[in-house]
Amino acid sequence: MKVKFPCLILSGLLLIITSCSDRKSDPVGNVNPYIGNISHLLVPTYPTVHLPNSMVRFYPNRDNFTTNYMQGFPLNVVSHRSGKVFTLFPFGGSASDAPQNLLYTYDNEFITPYCYSVKLDEYNIDVKYAPAGKAGFFSLRFNNDLNRTVMLRTNGQGELKYENNAISGFDTFDNVRACLYMEFEIKPEAIKVRDMDSTSGSMSVTGNRISMIASFKPD
């Protein structure tokens, strides 16, 4: 009886707590996007943020769940395990210092089918993402007093143009164009474009793996 008694008390407490709560569990909260993220032979599955029947599919750009590195944020994944179009790279620094590819270490990652958040260690940036039926919303919080810069790059042949506080253009995957219209909440202080290793202050650029870099003043 001395062994069973504490168990009976614990069971009674759990029953009372459950019966006093009117909140119903949401089945989507039981989804584990990390299942299948490690594969020994084939390509792993990826932790996908995607609403039912929506046109936008997102997951962080990394090899698998065990890696410590991330290579930016694709704006849409047009194929199940590949086919990323456009990649977003937030960083702290000037537009002229932007590398061709940014490699982040990350922490505090949180993923559900309807939202994503992570901290980028090198620049102390909090990134949040939420999908909609035909769009996606990024929230970027820069926690350092560095220049706040966002680079948007095409992954194939594309075109980018800045006008009226928004970037429009297209990227190409498997000879199919994916179009983009991305609007900023805050107007950038400066806009630069990059074609290969050349950076200029133009408002438009066309080519393969081109970039548009927007800089914002720190608060």
Side-chain angles (χ1 to χ4, degrees):
M1 290 298 295
K2 289 183 180 180
V3 175
K4 294 182 179 180
F5 183 66
C7 298
L8 291 175
I9 294 177
L10 180 59
S11 299
L13 288 174
L14 291 175
L15 179 61
I16 293 171
I17 293 171
T18 304
S19 62
C20 291
S21 175
D22 295 329
R23 183 177 179 181
K24 296 181 180 179
S25 61
D26 191 346
V28 75
N30 296 323
V31 175
N32 184 357
Y34 291 114
I35 292 177
N37 286 189
I38 301 175
S39 176
H40 299 288
L41 296 175
L42 304 177
V43 177
T45 60
Y46 295 100
T48 305
V49 182
H50 184 211
L51 299 181
N53 302 316
S54 70
M55 298 176 63
V56 181
R57 177 166 43 190
F58 166 88
Y59 54 73
N61 188 8
R62 61 169 180 247
D63 292 334
N64 56 55
F65 179 55
T66 61
T67 182
N68 294 322
Y69 297 98
M70 181 186 302
Q71 301 177 20
F73 305 96
L75 299 192
N76 200 6
V77 182
V78 297
S79 180
H80 172 47
R81 295 176 179 172
S82 61
K84 306 176 186 69
V85 290
F86 301 105
T87 304
L88 194 70
F89 299 94
F91 65 97
S94 64
S96 58
D97 296 332
Q100 286 285 358
N101 294 291
L102 280 160
L103 194 63
Y104 306 100
T105 60
Y106 62 95
D107 199 2
N108 298 332
E109 186 177 64
F110 176 77
I111 301 180
T112 71
Y114 51 84
C115 70
Y116 174 84
S117 65
V118 73
K119 176 181 285 293
L120 305 179
D121 294 331
E122 286 78 8
Y123 303 103
N124 196 11
I125 301 174
D126 294 319
V127 179
K128 294 183 179 180
Y129 171 80
K134 297 181 180 180
F137 299 87
F138 275 93
S139 171
L140 306 176
R141 181 181 179 88
F142 294 78
N143 299 303
N144 290 335
D145 294 331
L146 302 173
N147 290 333
R148 300 168 181 189
T149 308
V150 177
M151 181 171 67
L152 177 67
R153 193 193 68 197
T154 66
N155 296 321
Q157 190 71 24
E159 179 182 77
L160 296 172
K161 179 181 179 181
Y162 176 80
E163 187 178 18
N164 298 327
N165 198 35
I167 299 176
S168 59
F170 69 87
D171 195 359
T172 306
F173 171 73
D174 201 16
N175 296 321
V176 177
R177 286 188 177 184
C179 297
L180 165 78
Y181 181 84
M182 185 177 76
E183 187 173 358
F184 296 106
E185 182 183 26
I186 302 173
K187 187 175 181 180
E189 180 185 19
I191 292 288
K192 291 185 178 295
V193 298
R194 172 185 286 164
D195 184 5
M196 301 298 291
D197 294 328
S198 176
T199 303
S200 70
S202 176
M203 295 292 105
S204 63
V205 61
T206 303
N208 186 44
R209 290 177 64 85
I210 53 175
S211 302
M212 182 161 281
I213 307 167
S215 300
F216 301 84
K217 287 183 177 180
D219 294 338

